Short mmCIF file of all heavy atoms in Angstrom, two decimals:
data_model
loop_
_atom_site.label_atom_id
_atom_site.label_comp_id
_atom_site.label_asym_id
_atom_site.label_seq_id
_atom_site.Cartn_x
_atom_site.Cartn_y
_atom_site.Cartn_z
N MET Z 1263 148.74 124.73 -158.00
CA MET Z 1263 148.63 125.02 -156.60
C MET Z 1263 148.09 126.43 -156.39
O MET Z 1263 147.45 126.74 -155.39
CB MET Z 1263 150.03 124.80 -155.94
CG MET Z 1263 149.88 124.79 -154.41
SD MET Z 1263 149.02 123.42 -153.88
CE MET Z 1263 148.86 123.71 -152.20
N LYS Z 1264 148.41 127.33 -157.32
CA LYS Z 1264 147.96 128.65 -157.16
C LYS Z 1264 146.45 128.86 -157.15
O LYS Z 1264 145.98 129.71 -156.37
CB LYS Z 1264 148.66 129.54 -158.30
CG LYS Z 1264 148.39 131.02 -158.05
CD LYS Z 1264 149.26 131.84 -158.97
CE LYS Z 1264 148.95 133.32 -158.64
NZ LYS Z 1264 149.98 134.19 -159.15
N PRO Z 1265 145.70 128.15 -158.03
CA PRO Z 1265 144.20 128.34 -157.84
C PRO Z 1265 143.72 127.93 -156.50
O PRO Z 1265 142.78 128.56 -156.01
CB PRO Z 1265 143.67 127.36 -158.96
CG PRO Z 1265 144.85 127.22 -159.90
CD PRO Z 1265 146.03 127.31 -159.11
N HIS Z 1266 144.36 126.97 -155.82
CA HIS Z 1266 143.93 126.55 -154.48
C HIS Z 1266 144.18 127.66 -153.59
O HIS Z 1266 143.33 127.78 -152.61
CB HIS Z 1266 144.70 125.24 -154.03
CG HIS Z 1266 144.36 124.06 -154.87
ND1 HIS Z 1266 143.12 123.44 -154.91
CD2 HIS Z 1266 145.15 123.28 -155.62
CE1 HIS Z 1266 143.19 122.43 -155.69
NE2 HIS Z 1266 144.40 122.26 -156.13
N LEU Z 1267 145.29 128.33 -153.68
CA LEU Z 1267 145.57 129.38 -152.79
C LEU Z 1267 144.61 130.58 -152.95
O LEU Z 1267 144.24 131.28 -151.95
CB LEU Z 1267 147.03 129.87 -152.93
CG LEU Z 1267 148.08 128.88 -152.49
CD1 LEU Z 1267 149.45 129.32 -152.76
CD2 LEU Z 1267 147.99 128.58 -151.01
N VAL Z 1268 144.23 130.87 -154.12
CA VAL Z 1268 143.33 131.94 -154.44
C VAL Z 1268 141.89 131.61 -153.86
O VAL Z 1268 141.33 132.45 -153.24
CB VAL Z 1268 143.14 132.11 -155.99
CG1 VAL Z 1268 142.00 133.07 -156.25
CG2 VAL Z 1268 144.40 132.65 -156.48
N VAL Z 1269 141.44 130.31 -153.97
CA VAL Z 1269 140.16 129.92 -153.41
C VAL Z 1269 140.25 130.08 -151.88
O VAL Z 1269 139.32 130.49 -151.19
CB VAL Z 1269 139.70 128.51 -153.90
CG1 VAL Z 1269 138.64 128.03 -153.08
CG2 VAL Z 1269 139.56 128.51 -155.31
N PHE Z 1270 141.36 129.56 -151.35
CA PHE Z 1270 141.56 129.64 -149.88
C PHE Z 1270 141.54 131.15 -149.35
O PHE Z 1270 140.98 131.36 -148.34
CB PHE Z 1270 142.87 128.98 -149.49
CG PHE Z 1270 143.06 128.88 -147.95
CD1 PHE Z 1270 142.21 128.11 -147.23
CD2 PHE Z 1270 144.06 129.51 -147.35
CE1 PHE Z 1270 142.33 128.00 -145.87
CE2 PHE Z 1270 144.25 129.44 -145.93
CZ PHE Z 1270 143.35 128.64 -145.24
N ALA Z 1271 142.14 132.06 -150.13
CA ALA Z 1271 142.14 133.40 -149.79
C ALA Z 1271 140.80 134.02 -149.85
O ALA Z 1271 140.37 134.78 -148.94
CB ALA Z 1271 143.11 134.24 -150.70
N ILE Z 1272 139.95 133.57 -150.77
CA ILE Z 1272 138.63 134.08 -150.90
C ILE Z 1272 137.82 133.49 -149.72
O ILE Z 1272 136.97 134.26 -149.13
CB ILE Z 1272 138.01 133.61 -152.21
CG1 ILE Z 1272 138.60 134.38 -153.29
CG2 ILE Z 1272 136.46 133.78 -152.24
CD1 ILE Z 1272 138.28 133.83 -154.76
N LEU Z 1273 137.95 132.30 -149.31
CA LEU Z 1273 137.28 131.74 -148.14
C LEU Z 1273 137.62 132.45 -146.86
O LEU Z 1273 136.77 132.78 -146.04
CB LEU Z 1273 137.60 130.25 -148.04
CG LEU Z 1273 136.98 129.29 -148.98
CD1 LEU Z 1273 137.51 127.84 -148.79
CD2 LEU Z 1273 135.43 129.27 -148.75
N ILE Z 1274 138.91 132.84 -146.71
CA ILE Z 1274 139.38 133.48 -145.54
C ILE Z 1274 138.74 134.90 -145.51
O ILE Z 1274 138.30 135.44 -144.53
CB ILE Z 1274 140.84 133.58 -145.36
CG1 ILE Z 1274 141.39 132.20 -145.07
CG2 ILE Z 1274 141.35 134.58 -144.35
CD1 ILE Z 1274 142.83 132.10 -144.97
N ALA Z 1275 138.74 135.61 -146.68
CA ALA Z 1275 138.25 136.91 -146.77
C ALA Z 1275 136.67 136.88 -146.48
O ALA Z 1275 136.19 137.83 -145.82
CB ALA Z 1275 138.45 137.55 -148.21
N GLY Z 1276 135.99 135.84 -146.96
CA GLY Z 1276 134.59 135.64 -146.68
C GLY Z 1276 134.33 135.51 -145.11
O GLY Z 1276 133.38 136.07 -144.65
N PHE Z 1277 135.20 134.79 -144.46
CA PHE Z 1277 135.11 134.54 -143.01
C PHE Z 1277 135.29 135.86 -142.31
O PHE Z 1277 134.54 136.16 -141.38
CB PHE Z 1277 136.19 133.56 -142.60
CG PHE Z 1277 136.09 133.18 -141.10
CD1 PHE Z 1277 135.01 132.35 -140.70
CD2 PHE Z 1277 137.04 133.57 -140.26
CE1 PHE Z 1277 134.99 131.95 -139.42
CE2 PHE Z 1277 136.96 133.29 -138.94
CZ PHE Z 1277 135.92 132.42 -138.51
N ILE Z 1278 136.25 136.67 -142.68
CA ILE Z 1278 136.52 137.94 -142.05
C ILE Z 1278 135.38 138.94 -142.31
O ILE Z 1278 134.87 139.63 -141.41
CB ILE Z 1278 137.87 138.55 -142.52
CG1 ILE Z 1278 139.04 137.72 -141.97
CG2 ILE Z 1278 138.05 140.02 -142.09
CD1 ILE Z 1278 140.32 138.01 -142.62
N VAL Z 1279 134.89 139.03 -143.53
CA VAL Z 1279 133.79 139.89 -143.86
C VAL Z 1279 132.44 139.48 -143.05
O VAL Z 1279 131.79 140.32 -142.55
CB VAL Z 1279 133.45 139.91 -145.38
CG1 VAL Z 1279 132.14 140.48 -145.75
CG2 VAL Z 1279 134.65 140.54 -146.14
N TYR Z 1280 132.23 138.17 -142.99
CA TYR Z 1280 131.16 137.76 -142.24
C TYR Z 1280 131.20 138.17 -140.73
O TYR Z 1280 130.26 138.71 -140.10
CB TYR Z 1280 130.91 136.24 -142.21
CG TYR Z 1280 129.95 135.75 -141.26
CD1 TYR Z 1280 128.60 135.94 -141.50
CD2 TYR Z 1280 130.32 135.14 -140.06
CE1 TYR Z 1280 127.64 135.51 -140.59
CE2 TYR Z 1280 129.44 134.73 -139.12
CZ TYR Z 1280 128.05 134.93 -139.38
OH TYR Z 1280 127.14 134.52 -138.44
N ASN Z 1281 132.36 138.03 -140.12
CA ASN Z 1281 132.54 138.36 -138.73
C ASN Z 1281 132.56 139.86 -138.52
O ASN Z 1281 132.23 140.31 -137.41
CB ASN Z 1281 133.80 137.74 -138.20
CG ASN Z 1281 133.61 136.30 -137.86
OD1 ASN Z 1281 132.62 135.99 -137.24
ND2 ASN Z 1281 134.53 135.44 -138.24
N LEU Z 1282 132.86 140.69 -139.53
CA LEU Z 1282 132.90 142.16 -139.31
C LEU Z 1282 131.49 142.70 -139.63
O LEU Z 1282 131.12 143.68 -138.90
CB LEU Z 1282 133.96 142.72 -140.21
CG LEU Z 1282 135.41 142.54 -139.79
CD1 LEU Z 1282 136.32 143.22 -140.87
CD2 LEU Z 1282 135.66 143.09 -138.45
N PHE Z 1283 130.85 142.28 -140.64
CA PHE Z 1283 129.65 142.99 -141.13
C PHE Z 1283 128.33 142.25 -140.96
O PHE Z 1283 127.26 142.80 -140.84
CB PHE Z 1283 129.85 143.39 -142.59
CG PHE Z 1283 131.07 144.25 -142.83
CD1 PHE Z 1283 132.12 143.82 -143.57
CD2 PHE Z 1283 131.15 145.52 -142.26
CE1 PHE Z 1283 133.20 144.61 -143.76
CE2 PHE Z 1283 132.19 146.31 -142.49
CZ PHE Z 1283 133.18 145.90 -143.26
N PHE Z 1284 128.34 140.92 -141.07
CA PHE Z 1284 127.10 140.09 -141.16
C PHE Z 1284 126.84 139.26 -139.95
O PHE Z 1284 126.21 138.19 -140.05
CB PHE Z 1284 127.11 139.26 -142.40
CG PHE Z 1284 127.26 140.07 -143.68
CD1 PHE Z 1284 128.33 139.96 -144.53
CD2 PHE Z 1284 126.25 140.97 -144.08
CE1 PHE Z 1284 128.44 140.69 -145.63
CE2 PHE Z 1284 126.38 141.69 -145.27
CZ PHE Z 1284 127.48 141.57 -146.05
N LYS Z 1285 127.32 139.60 -138.83
CA LYS Z 1285 127.11 138.80 -137.62
C LYS Z 1285 125.61 138.73 -137.32
O LYS Z 1285 124.81 139.67 -137.45
CB LYS Z 1285 127.78 139.37 -136.43
CG LYS Z 1285 129.21 138.96 -136.27
CD LYS Z 1285 129.71 139.42 -134.90
CE LYS Z 1285 131.10 138.95 -134.74
NZ LYS Z 1285 131.65 139.34 -133.47
N ILE Z 1286 125.18 137.58 -136.86
CA ILE Z 1286 123.77 137.40 -136.36
C ILE Z 1286 123.72 137.79 -134.92
O ILE Z 1286 124.67 137.60 -134.19
CB ILE Z 1286 123.36 135.89 -136.60
CG1 ILE Z 1286 123.38 135.59 -138.03
CG2 ILE Z 1286 122.03 135.60 -135.99
CD1 ILE Z 1286 123.15 134.06 -138.32
N GLY Z 1287 122.62 138.38 -134.59
CA GLY Z 1287 122.45 138.87 -133.21
C GLY Z 1287 122.50 137.76 -132.14
O GLY Z 1287 122.95 138.01 -131.03
N ASP Z 1288 122.08 136.59 -132.48
CA ASP Z 1288 122.02 135.50 -131.54
C ASP Z 1288 123.46 134.92 -131.39
O ASP Z 1288 124.02 134.46 -132.42
CB ASP Z 1288 121.08 134.43 -131.98
CG ASP Z 1288 120.95 133.26 -131.05
OD1 ASP Z 1288 121.27 133.43 -129.86
OD2 ASP Z 1288 120.50 132.15 -131.50
N ASP Z 1289 124.06 134.97 -130.21
CA ASP Z 1289 125.39 134.51 -130.05
C ASP Z 1289 125.55 133.07 -130.29
O ASP Z 1289 126.59 132.58 -130.84
CB ASP Z 1289 125.91 134.80 -128.61
CG ASP Z 1289 126.21 136.28 -128.40
OD1 ASP Z 1289 126.40 137.00 -129.38
OD2 ASP Z 1289 126.16 136.72 -127.24
N ARG Z 1290 124.63 132.25 -129.89
CA ARG Z 1290 124.70 130.80 -130.14
C ARG Z 1290 124.73 130.47 -131.61
O ARG Z 1290 125.49 129.64 -132.10
CB ARG Z 1290 123.54 130.15 -129.49
CG ARG Z 1290 123.61 128.62 -129.35
CD ARG Z 1290 122.46 128.03 -128.63
NE ARG Z 1290 122.64 126.61 -128.54
CZ ARG Z 1290 121.76 125.81 -127.98
NH1 ARG Z 1290 120.76 126.34 -127.29
NH2 ARG Z 1290 121.93 124.49 -127.88
N ALA Z 1291 123.78 131.00 -132.41
CA ALA Z 1291 123.72 130.76 -133.81
C ALA Z 1291 125.04 131.31 -134.48
O ALA Z 1291 125.55 130.67 -135.47
CB ALA Z 1291 122.54 131.49 -134.47
N ASN Z 1292 125.49 132.42 -134.05
CA ASN Z 1292 126.76 133.04 -134.61
C ASN Z 1292 127.94 132.08 -134.33
O ASN Z 1292 128.77 131.90 -135.24
CB ASN Z 1292 126.98 134.39 -134.02
CG ASN Z 1292 128.09 135.04 -134.74
OD1 ASN Z 1292 128.16 135.03 -136.02
ND2 ASN Z 1292 128.90 135.89 -134.05
N THR Z 1293 128.02 131.47 -133.15
CA THR Z 1293 129.07 130.54 -132.83
C THR Z 1293 129.00 129.36 -133.67
O THR Z 1293 130.02 128.80 -134.20
CB THR Z 1293 128.96 130.10 -131.32
OG1 THR Z 1293 129.03 131.39 -130.52
CG2 THR Z 1293 130.12 129.21 -130.94
N ILE Z 1294 127.79 128.78 -133.92
CA ILE Z 1294 127.60 127.59 -134.75
C ILE Z 1294 128.08 127.97 -136.15
O ILE Z 1294 128.79 127.16 -136.79
CB ILE Z 1294 126.19 127.15 -134.77
CG1 ILE Z 1294 125.76 126.58 -133.40
CG2 ILE Z 1294 125.89 126.10 -135.86
CD1 ILE Z 1294 124.34 126.29 -133.13
N ILE Z 1295 127.76 129.11 -136.78
CA ILE Z 1295 128.10 129.48 -138.09
C ILE Z 1295 129.68 129.60 -138.14
O ILE Z 1295 130.23 129.08 -139.11
CB ILE Z 1295 127.40 130.72 -138.54
CG1 ILE Z 1295 125.90 130.47 -138.78
CG2 ILE Z 1295 127.96 131.31 -139.78
CD1 ILE Z 1295 125.10 131.66 -138.92
N ASN Z 1296 130.22 130.22 -137.16
CA ASN Z 1296 131.74 130.32 -137.05
C ASN Z 1296 132.35 128.95 -137.08
O ASN Z 1296 133.41 128.79 -137.71
CB ASN Z 1296 132.16 131.19 -135.94
CG ASN Z 1296 132.09 132.69 -136.26
OD1 ASN Z 1296 132.09 133.09 -137.40
ND2 ASN Z 1296 131.86 133.45 -135.19
N ILE Z 1297 131.85 128.11 -136.27
CA ILE Z 1297 132.46 126.72 -136.21
C ILE Z 1297 132.34 125.99 -137.52
O ILE Z 1297 133.36 125.35 -138.04
CB ILE Z 1297 131.79 125.90 -135.06
CG1 ILE Z 1297 132.31 126.50 -133.67
CG2 ILE Z 1297 132.16 124.41 -135.14
CD1 ILE Z 1297 131.49 125.94 -132.49
N LEU Z 1298 131.19 126.09 -138.21
CA LEU Z 1298 130.97 125.43 -139.44
C LEU Z 1298 131.97 126.04 -140.53
O LEU Z 1298 132.47 125.31 -141.37
CB LEU Z 1298 129.61 125.61 -139.93
CG LEU Z 1298 128.53 124.69 -139.10
CD1 LEU Z 1298 127.12 125.01 -139.58
CD2 LEU Z 1298 128.89 123.23 -139.28
N TYR Z 1299 132.05 127.34 -140.53
CA TYR Z 1299 132.92 128.01 -141.53
C TYR Z 1299 134.33 127.65 -141.27
O TYR Z 1299 135.11 127.37 -142.23
CB TYR Z 1299 132.73 129.54 -141.46
CG TYR Z 1299 132.99 130.22 -142.79
CD1 TYR Z 1299 131.99 130.99 -143.36
CD2 TYR Z 1299 134.25 130.18 -143.43
CE1 TYR Z 1299 132.30 131.70 -144.53
CE2 TYR Z 1299 134.49 130.85 -144.52
CZ TYR Z 1299 133.51 131.55 -145.10
OH TYR Z 1299 133.75 132.24 -146.32
N ALA Z 1300 134.78 127.65 -140.02
CA ALA Z 1300 136.14 127.21 -139.70
C ALA Z 1300 136.41 125.77 -140.03
O ALA Z 1300 137.49 125.41 -140.52
CB ALA Z 1300 136.44 127.45 -138.24
N SER Z 1301 135.37 124.87 -139.95
CA SER Z 1301 135.54 123.53 -140.27
C SER Z 1301 135.72 123.47 -141.87
O SER Z 1301 136.52 122.59 -142.33
CB SER Z 1301 134.29 122.67 -139.93
OG SER Z 1301 134.17 122.73 -138.51
N ILE Z 1302 135.01 124.18 -142.58
CA ILE Z 1302 135.23 124.27 -144.04
C ILE Z 1302 136.60 124.68 -144.36
O ILE Z 1302 137.30 124.06 -145.26
CB ILE Z 1302 134.20 125.07 -144.72
CG1 ILE Z 1302 132.79 124.43 -144.63
CG2 ILE Z 1302 134.47 125.37 -146.15
CD1 ILE Z 1302 131.60 125.38 -144.98
N LEU Z 1303 137.12 125.72 -143.75
CA LEU Z 1303 138.48 126.23 -143.95
C LEU Z 1303 139.50 125.07 -143.59
O LEU Z 1303 140.44 124.91 -144.42
CB LEU Z 1303 138.73 127.46 -143.15
CG LEU Z 1303 138.05 128.75 -143.53
CD1 LEU Z 1303 138.34 129.88 -142.53
CD2 LEU Z 1303 138.60 129.21 -144.94
N PHE Z 1304 139.40 124.42 -142.56
CA PHE Z 1304 140.37 123.38 -142.18
C PHE Z 1304 140.22 122.19 -143.10
O PHE Z 1304 141.27 121.59 -143.44
CB PHE Z 1304 140.16 122.89 -140.74
CG PHE Z 1304 140.68 123.92 -139.72
CD1 PHE Z 1304 139.87 124.36 -138.68
CD2 PHE Z 1304 141.94 124.43 -139.81
CE1 PHE Z 1304 140.30 125.32 -137.80
CE2 PHE Z 1304 142.42 125.28 -138.85
CZ PHE Z 1304 141.53 125.84 -137.89
N ALA Z 1305 139.05 121.86 -143.63
CA ALA Z 1305 138.87 120.78 -144.56
C ALA Z 1305 139.56 121.17 -145.85
O ALA Z 1305 140.17 120.32 -146.50
CB ALA Z 1305 137.37 120.50 -144.84
N TYR Z 1306 139.44 122.44 -146.29
CA TYR Z 1306 140.09 122.92 -147.49
C TYR Z 1306 141.65 122.88 -147.35
O TYR Z 1306 142.37 122.56 -148.34
CB TYR Z 1306 139.63 124.26 -147.92
CG TYR Z 1306 139.93 124.59 -149.37
CD1 TYR Z 1306 139.22 123.92 -150.39
CD2 TYR Z 1306 140.98 125.43 -149.72
CE1 TYR Z 1306 139.52 124.23 -151.71
CE2 TYR Z 1306 141.30 125.61 -151.08
CZ TYR Z 1306 140.51 125.03 -152.01
OH TYR Z 1306 140.78 125.26 -153.40
N ILE Z 1307 142.09 123.19 -146.15
CA ILE Z 1307 143.57 123.07 -145.96
C ILE Z 1307 144.09 121.69 -146.08
O ILE Z 1307 145.11 121.44 -146.68
CB ILE Z 1307 143.97 123.63 -144.55
CG1 ILE Z 1307 143.72 125.17 -144.48
CG2 ILE Z 1307 145.41 123.27 -144.13
CD1 ILE Z 1307 143.91 125.80 -143.08
N SER Z 1308 143.31 120.77 -145.50
CA SER Z 1308 143.68 119.31 -145.66
C SER Z 1308 143.62 118.82 -147.10
O SER Z 1308 144.41 118.11 -147.55
CB SER Z 1308 142.77 118.49 -144.73
OG SER Z 1308 141.49 118.49 -145.16
N PHE Z 1309 142.62 119.36 -147.83
CA PHE Z 1309 142.55 119.01 -149.26
C PHE Z 1309 143.77 119.52 -149.98
O PHE Z 1309 144.37 118.79 -150.79
CB PHE Z 1309 141.22 119.56 -149.88
CG PHE Z 1309 141.28 119.53 -151.34
CD1 PHE Z 1309 141.05 118.34 -152.07
CD2 PHE Z 1309 141.37 120.67 -152.09
CE1 PHE Z 1309 141.07 118.30 -153.40
CE2 PHE Z 1309 141.40 120.74 -153.46
CZ PHE Z 1309 141.28 119.51 -154.17
N MET Z 1310 144.19 120.76 -149.73
CA MET Z 1310 145.35 121.34 -150.33
C MET Z 1310 146.63 120.53 -149.98
O MET Z 1310 147.46 120.27 -150.86
CB MET Z 1310 145.58 122.79 -149.95
CG MET Z 1310 144.62 123.72 -150.61
SD MET Z 1310 145.01 125.51 -150.45
CE MET Z 1310 145.41 125.64 -148.77
N ALA Z 1311 146.74 120.14 -148.71
CA ALA Z 1311 147.92 119.34 -148.31
C ALA Z 1311 147.90 117.99 -149.02
O ALA Z 1311 148.94 117.53 -149.41
CB ALA Z 1311 147.87 119.19 -146.79
N PHE Z 1312 146.71 117.34 -149.09
CA PHE Z 1312 146.61 116.04 -149.70
C PHE Z 1312 146.99 116.14 -151.21
O PHE Z 1312 147.70 115.26 -151.79
CB PHE Z 1312 145.19 115.51 -149.59
CG PHE Z 1312 144.98 114.20 -150.20
CD1 PHE Z 1312 145.56 113.04 -149.63
CD2 PHE Z 1312 144.28 114.06 -151.36
CE1 PHE Z 1312 145.38 111.78 -150.26
CE2 PHE Z 1312 144.06 112.80 -151.96
CZ PHE Z 1312 144.66 111.59 -151.42
N SER Z 1313 146.54 117.12 -151.90
CA SER Z 1313 146.82 117.29 -153.34
C SER Z 1313 148.33 117.63 -153.53
O SER Z 1313 148.90 117.22 -154.52
CB SER Z 1313 145.96 118.37 -154.02
OG SER Z 1313 146.20 119.61 -153.42
N LEU Z 1314 148.98 118.33 -152.57
CA LEU Z 1314 150.25 118.70 -152.70
C LEU Z 1314 151.10 117.39 -152.49
O LEU Z 1314 152.09 117.18 -153.20
CB LEU Z 1314 150.70 119.71 -151.66
CG LEU Z 1314 152.12 120.13 -151.69
CD1 LEU Z 1314 152.52 120.89 -152.94
CD2 LEU Z 1314 152.45 120.99 -150.45
N LEU Z 1315 150.77 116.60 -151.63
CA LEU Z 1315 151.49 115.31 -151.33
C LEU Z 1315 151.35 114.40 -152.53
O LEU Z 1315 152.24 113.68 -152.89
CB LEU Z 1315 150.99 114.62 -150.08
CG LEU Z 1315 151.39 115.29 -148.80
CD1 LEU Z 1315 150.62 114.61 -147.55
CD2 LEU Z 1315 152.80 115.30 -148.57
N LYS Z 1316 150.11 114.39 -153.25
CA LYS Z 1316 149.97 113.63 -154.43
C LYS Z 1316 150.91 114.06 -155.51
O LYS Z 1316 151.52 113.27 -156.21
CB LYS Z 1316 148.58 113.57 -154.91
CG LYS Z 1316 147.62 112.60 -154.19
CD LYS Z 1316 146.22 112.71 -154.71
CE LYS Z 1316 146.00 111.99 -155.98
NZ LYS Z 1316 144.61 111.96 -156.41
N LYS Z 1317 151.05 115.38 -155.65
CA LYS Z 1317 151.91 115.93 -156.68
C LYS Z 1317 153.45 115.63 -156.44
O LYS Z 1317 154.18 115.39 -157.29
CB LYS Z 1317 151.78 117.48 -156.78
CG LYS Z 1317 150.50 117.84 -157.52
CD LYS Z 1317 150.42 119.43 -157.71
CE LYS Z 1317 149.15 119.80 -158.36
NZ LYS Z 1317 149.08 121.23 -158.50
N MET Z 1318 153.78 115.69 -155.09
CA MET Z 1318 155.14 115.38 -154.71
C MET Z 1318 155.51 113.90 -154.90
O MET Z 1318 156.66 113.58 -155.19
CB MET Z 1318 155.35 115.74 -153.31
CG MET Z 1318 155.44 117.25 -153.08
SD MET Z 1318 155.67 117.73 -151.28
CE MET Z 1318 157.19 116.94 -150.93
N LYS Z 1319 154.48 113.06 -154.83
CA LYS Z 1319 154.65 111.61 -154.95
C LYS Z 1319 155.06 111.29 -156.40
O LYS Z 1319 155.84 110.38 -156.62
CB LYS Z 1319 153.51 110.87 -154.51
CG LYS Z 1319 153.60 109.33 -154.46
CD LYS Z 1319 152.39 108.66 -154.06
CE LYS Z 1319 152.50 107.22 -153.97
NZ LYS Z 1319 151.30 106.50 -153.53
N LYS Z 1320 154.55 112.00 -157.29
CA LYS Z 1320 154.74 111.64 -158.73
C LYS Z 1320 156.08 112.06 -159.23
O LYS Z 1320 156.87 112.68 -158.76
CB LYS Z 1320 153.71 112.41 -159.67
CG LYS Z 1320 152.37 111.86 -159.47
CD LYS Z 1320 151.42 112.51 -160.43
CE LYS Z 1320 150.05 111.92 -160.26
NZ LYS Z 1320 149.09 112.45 -161.16
#
């Protein structure tokens, strides 16, 4: 489970770095990128939860 948390921490750090330093000037495009990145984060959270439930089932 620890490698999953490390990858998740890297994804969150990338999200924060993007929003602080690499914002696109166009607000609409920036919003789309933020929504896509947040969707990836939530998908990874659900993957971690699914893998944890599989481990608990065994």
